[in-house]
Amino acid sequence: MKLWKIMAVSALVFSGSALATNNYGGDNHGGGGDPSTPVFQTTSWNSEIQIYQSGTANVANATQNTAQNSLTSIGQYGYKNNASTTQDGNKSSLTLGQYGDYNNASLLQTADKSKLQVSQNGSSNYVNATQTANGSLVSIQQYGNANQAYAAQH
């Protein structure tokens, strides 16, 4: 019976925090970056996709095909952000954070033992990045509005 009570209280606390809304920037559509955003850690799974969205009308499409021991992590905070990622590399990490409104990202990683990291803060920013070189790093940070970044590492 005690376990049931603990689970019920935990469910109430979790659902209450999920219903709470904060506006951290943007134009009242759900905000920008939330300072209380959870930090994702890899688990014992072979490969993992993690998506966290806070705001309205955000779209995330994440695919891992033959990736082994890899992590794809997407966080979107705001209004109408769009993310499309594909990861095929082994022992690799693909991380995307979009804070604000109308940001778009298209990311492809087929490299082994590599990192692809993108952060966009503002509105109407665009990133297109491809990484096929093993043991490499692509890191893109954009602040402001209407920025565009294109990266190809082969």
Side-chain angles (χ1 to χ4, degrees):
M1 186 66 175
K2 286 184 180 180
L3 178 61
W4 174 251
K5 288 179 183 177
I6 292 171
M7 290 176 58
V9 170
S10 298
L12 286 173
V13 170
F14 181 74
S15 38
S17 65
L19 294 174
T21 59
N22 290 318
N23 192 12
Y24 295 96
D27 56 0
N28 297 324
H29 293 293
D34 182 347
S36 65
T37 301
V39 175
F40 294 118
Q41 301 293 326
T42 57
T43 63
S44 61
W45 293 100
N46 187 24
S47 288
E48 194 167 331
I49 294 174
Q50 301 169 343
I51 298 172
Y52 181 84
Q53 295 178 313
S54 175
T56 305
N58 294 305
V59 176
N61 181 12
T63 302
Q64 283 183 331
N65 293 316
T66 58
Q68 294 181 12
N69 301 99
S70 295
L71 171 66
T72 294
S73 178
I74 299 171
Q76 297 185 111
Y77 314 88
Y79 180 68
K80 286 196 175 182
N81 293 303
N82 185 49
S84 178
T85 67
T86 300
Q87 184 180 46
D88 296 332
N90 297 324
K91 297 181 182 177
S92 294
S93 170
L94 187 153
T95 305
L96 170 64
Q98 297 188 114
Y99 310 87
D101 304 326
Y102 301 104
N103 294 306
N104 287 288
S106 178
L107 309 176
L108 170 65
Q109 182 184 55
T110 60
D112 295 337
K113 298 179 183 176
S114 296
K115 288 186 179 183
L116 175 54
Q117 302 170 331
V118 175
S119 177
Q120 299 188 105
N121 298 274
S123 294
S124 302
N125 295 306
Y126 177 76
V127 168
N128 186 317
T130 301
Q131 183 180 45
T132 61
N134 294 334
S136 57
L137 169 68
V138 170
S139 181
I140 298 170
Q141 295 182 7
Q142 297 190 119
Y143 298 92
N145 301 319
N147 296 303
Q148 296 182 13
Y150 300 88
Q153 189 173 49
H154 303 288

